[in-house]
């Protein structure tokens, strides 16, 4: 038009007034009947007294889901009666973390053989009698045939000395019986690692 303004286009101004920032009071964890509280809390990246940051809350939820112990993690703020402080609820749904396998097979080397495997991804080395809930990983595998036997045990502590260092131990025993000679191997390996950001 004559004023040089495009027809059908308008400018809109939006005025925003921020309210006061809310801080985190308590962090309440619910739903974990097997997994220990400290295993969950060490993956949470928000702390009581901090500004309530939903980006960090979502990051904490993602970290918990990546553990593989939970089928769902829900987070929500809880009213404390103080408008400047909100508690944080983290509610988890635990899932099965153990696995058992067994079977038989046939190969040209071993002929008929059998195997068995037991693993637990939320293991607790000192958690008698169920041995679950401390976030460790344990796996046992055995394969047996007439002439050969293999045994392996793997253990991983993801927070060694209460630090984000992964410490692992692998133990194995392997025996081979041949017509001319026999082989017996017993060994172990240790590893220490740190996750990259």
């Amino acid at each position: 038009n004559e004023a040089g303004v495009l027809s059908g286009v308008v400018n809109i101004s939006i005025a925003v007034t921020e309210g006061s920032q809310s801080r985190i009071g308590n962090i309440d964890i619910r739903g974990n009947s097997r997994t220990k509280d400290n295993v969950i809390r060490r993956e949470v990246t928000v702390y009581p007294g901090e500004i309530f940051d939903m980006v960090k809350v979502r990051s904490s939820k993602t970290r918990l889901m990546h553990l593989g112990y939970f089928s769902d993690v829900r987070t929500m703020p809880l009213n404390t009666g103080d408008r400047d402080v909100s508690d944080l609820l983290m509610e988890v749904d635990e899932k099965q973390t153990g696995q058992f396998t067994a079977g038989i097979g046939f190969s040209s080397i071993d002929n008929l053989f059998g195997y068995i495997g037991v693993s637990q991804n939320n293991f607790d080395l000192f958690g008698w009698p169920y041995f679950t809930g401390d976030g460790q990983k344990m796996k046992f595998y055995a394969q047996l045939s007439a002439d050969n036997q293999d045994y392996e045990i793997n253990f991983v502590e993801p927070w060694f000395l209460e630090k984000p260092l992964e410490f692992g131990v692998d133990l194995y025993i392997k025996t081979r019986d041949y017509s001319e000679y026999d082989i017996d191997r017993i060994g172990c390996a240790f590893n220490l690692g740190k996750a990259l950001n």
Side-chain angles (χ1 to χ4, degrees):
N1 58 23
E2 293 181 359
V5 179
L6 295 175
S7 177
V9 177
V10 295
N11 293 326
I12 298 176
S13 297
I14 299 176
V16 177
T17 303
E18 288 189 353
S20 60
Q21 290 182 318
S22 176
R23 294 191 174 273
I24 298 175
N26 296 318
I27 298 177
D28 189 11
I29 298 172
R30 299 178 190 170
N32 54 320
S33 59
R34 290 189 302 270
T35 306
K36 295 179 180 177
D37 266 20
N38 69 301
V39 173
I40 297 174
R41 290 185 188 278
R42 68 192 183 192
E43 300 295 334
V44 176
T45 58
V46 292
Y47 304 96
E50 286 187 342
I51 299 296
F52 209 112
D53 185 342
M54 285 307 296
V55 173
K56 292 176 74 174
V57 171
R58 284 192 293 269
S59 172
S60 300
K61 176 179 177 178
T62 301
R63 288 168 62 96
L64 289 172
M65 289 298 295
H66 284 171
L67 291 175
Y69 311 154
F70 312 113
S71 59
D72 191 22
V73 177
R74 295 175 296 280
T75 60
M76 64 187 72
L78 298 176
N79 188 4
T80 63
D82 184 345
R83 66 185 185 124
D84 295 330
V85 178
S86 295
D87 289 344
L88 174 62
L89 171 63
M90 307 195 81
E91 192 170 20
V92 299
D93 292 334
E94 292 183 308
K95 66 179 183 180
Q96 292 294 327
T97 54
Q99 187 175 19
F100 174 82
T101 58
I104 58 173
F106 183 85
S107 74
S108 59
I109 297 175
D110 294 327
N111 294 322
L112 187 66
F113 66 89
Y115 65 88
I116 184 172
V118 179
S119 65
Q120 175 56 256
N121 289 329
N122 191 7
F123 188 70
D124 185 355
L125 187 60
F126 303 108
W128 171 266
Y130 302 109
F131 297 103
T132 59
D134 204 30
Q136 302 158 350
K137 293 179 174 57
M138 173 68 83
K139 183 170 77 171
F140 170 78
Y141 178 80
Q143 181 173 312
L144 307 172
S145 67
D147 298 323
N148 302 322
Q149 294 86 41
D150 291 342
Y151 304 94
E152 294 182 24
I153 297 177
N154 310 106
F155 173 80
V156 175
E157 169 57 73
W159 280 72
F160 184 58
L161 301 177
E162 298 302 320
K163 294 182 174 20
L165 297 172
E166 185 175 279
F167 175 71
V169 180
D170 299 326
L171 305 173
Y172 65 87
I173 299 174
K174 299 178 183 290
T175 64
R176 299 286 186 269
D177 297 333
Y178 297 105
S179 56
E180 295 85 6
Y181 59 91
D182 298 336
I183 297 177
D184 293 323
R185 291 179 181 168
I186 300 175
C188 66
F190 302 93
N191 59 74
L192 187 67
K194 180 172 175 55
L196 299 176
N197 290 332

